[in-house]
Amino acid sequence: IAEEQRQAEEQQRIAEERRQAAEQQRIAEEQRQAAEQQRIAEEQRQAAEQQRIAEEQRQAAEQQRITEEQRQAAERTKGSGITMRAIYDYTAADQDELSFLEGDIIRDVDPIDDGWANGTIGNTTGMFPLSYAEEELPTAPAPVSKPARQSSVSSEVPDLGVCGVALYDYTANDNDEITFEAGETISNIEKPDPGWWIGVCRGKRGTFPKDYVSLVSSDGAPTDIPAQAPVSDDGLCARALYSYTPSDADELELTEGCIITHIDQVDAGWWIGVINGQKGMFPSSYCEIIN
């Protein structure tokens, strides 16, 4: 019996040692797995940090590239009065900015700073980012075919009919009215109503209050206002952007910068106007309307 008890105790001791060894092995495995997970997490953290640094370097390089492009654009446009062509669409974010579409021509470009410049499209002037445009070489556009119905043009200055000079500024309130400023000339005046007359100003025909205008005599002198009041009967005017040599006897010769008066926009591609008393046709793409 004593021997059996001793053997039982020995087996119990061996079993306990085996259990403890297995427990230690399990703990060691858990510690190994925890260390492995910690190593993987550290590698992932380092990889994320390297990716973040690489992204910051990429952004810094991109910003440097944009800055260099803006500097080069500013260098190309150094000095006012040059012309640029839009290479992207741009929508103004503020009232003092200029909106345009790809291909639009921006004139009188004057760089400001930080990649921005002032420019003019038509009668609108505002700021725009220089990186959205490139310098346009001043080449004259090819004129469109001249309309056959305008092959013969009178050499006389058009009859302006009864004329008047504006005494005050007036802004049209309806589509059938005309807008003018004090000193502008209204031509071809008709008097269908005691309070409202019809006339032509800035190339548009419409009604206006007669009390805002004083008639002028045939020689251009005012009939009921002081003689020094400003009077102009040049009608719609334009400035030549390029020189043009006429190919027909009924055409005008244009010199860059010259002023064309009494313009009649008879066709989308060709207009009629007067230079130094000579009347003739010219390509509309060679000039811009001025006030």
Side-chain angles (χ1 to χ4, degrees):
I1 293 172
E3 181 61 23
E4 289 177 353
Q5 289 177 343
R6 186 190 65 77
Q7 291 178 355
E9 290 176 355
E10 181 66 18
Q11 291 175 354
Q12 187 176 4
R13 183 186 64 79
I14 293 172
E16 179 62 22
E17 288 179 352
R18 289 176 178 174
R19 186 192 65 77
Q20 290 178 357
E23 180 66 16
Q24 290 176 354
Q25 186 176 5
R26 182 187 65 79
I27 293 172
E29 179 63 21
E30 289 180 351
Q31 291 175 342
R32 187 193 65 77
Q33 291 178 355
E36 180 67 15
Q37 290 175 353
Q38 187 175 4
R39 183 188 63 79
I40 293 173
E42 178 63 20
E43 289 180 351
Q44 291 174 342
R45 186 193 65 77
Q46 291 178 356
E49 180 67 14
Q50 291 175 353
Q51 186 174 3
R52 183 188 64 80
I53 293 173
E55 178 64 19
E56 288 180 352
Q57 291 174 341
R58 187 195 65 78
Q59 291 178 356
E62 179 68 12
Q63 184 62 38
Q64 186 176 5
R65 182 188 65 80
I66 294 173
T67 301
E68 178 64 18
E69 288 182 353
Q70 292 174 342
R71 186 195 65 78
Q72 292 176 358
E75 184 66 22
R76 290 196 305 268
T77 60
K78 189 175 182 180
S80 61
I82 74 167
T83 301
M84 302 189 73
R85 179 183 297 275
I87 56 177
Y88 310 107
D89 296 350
Y90 181 73
T91 301
D94 294 314
Q95 292 182 351
D96 60 350
E97 294 183 10
L98 188 66
S99 294
F100 48 77
L101 299 176
E102 180 181 352
D104 284 351
I105 300 300
I106 310 168
R107 304 189 185 281
D108 300 323
V109 176
D110 185 14
I112 307 172
D113 56 13
D114 296 332
W116 287 78
N118 280 323
T120 300
I121 298 178
N123 293 326
T124 304
T125 299
M127 301 191 332
F128 68 95
L130 283 171
S131 57
Y132 277 66
E134 62 183 6
E135 186 173 356
E136 175 74 0
L137 297 178
T139 56
V144 298
S145 299
K146 187 168 59 176
R149 60 187 178 87
Q150 297 294 337
S151 59
S152 177
V153 180
S154 171
S155 61
E156 298 180 357
V157 175
D159 182 12
L160 300 177
V162 179
C163 296
V165 62
L167 301 175
Y168 318 102
D169 296 349
Y170 181 73
T171 302
N173 295 315
D174 293 313
N175 292 332
D176 61 349
E177 298 180 12
I178 58 175
T179 296
F180 48 76
E181 296 179 357
E184 286 194 271
T185 296
I186 298 90
S187 62
N188 303 106
I189 293 177
E190 300 176 11
K191 308 173 184 178
D193 185 87
W196 288 80
W197 291 349
I198 299 175
V200 177
C201 184
R202 302 181 185 178
K204 179 182 177 182
R205 180 179 177 83
T207 61
F208 61 92
K210 79 173 188 65
D211 293 337
Y212 279 64
V213 173
S214 176
L215 296 180
V216 296
S217 62
S218 59
D219 61 359
T223 60
D224 54 357
I225 60 174
Q228 65 270 21
V231 178
S232 172
D233 59 354
D234 291 337
L236 184 62
C237 299
R239 177 183 290 108
L241 300 175
Y242 318 98
S243 297
Y244 176 72
T245 301
S247 56
D248 292 319
D250 62 351
E251 296 178 7
L252 282 177
E253 180 177 359
L254 305 182
T255 303
E256 183 179 352
C258 71
I259 303 299
I260 307 106
T261 63
H262 303 97
I263 290 177
D264 185 6
Q265 298 171 312
V266 294
D267 186 84
W270 288 81
W271 294 346
I272 297 174
V274 176
I275 298 178
N276 297 328
Q278 181 182 358
K279 182 178 180 182
M281 301 182 67
F282 60 93
S284 61
S285 58
Y286 275 56
C287 69
E288 63 179 356
I289 297 296
I290 59 176
N291 291 330

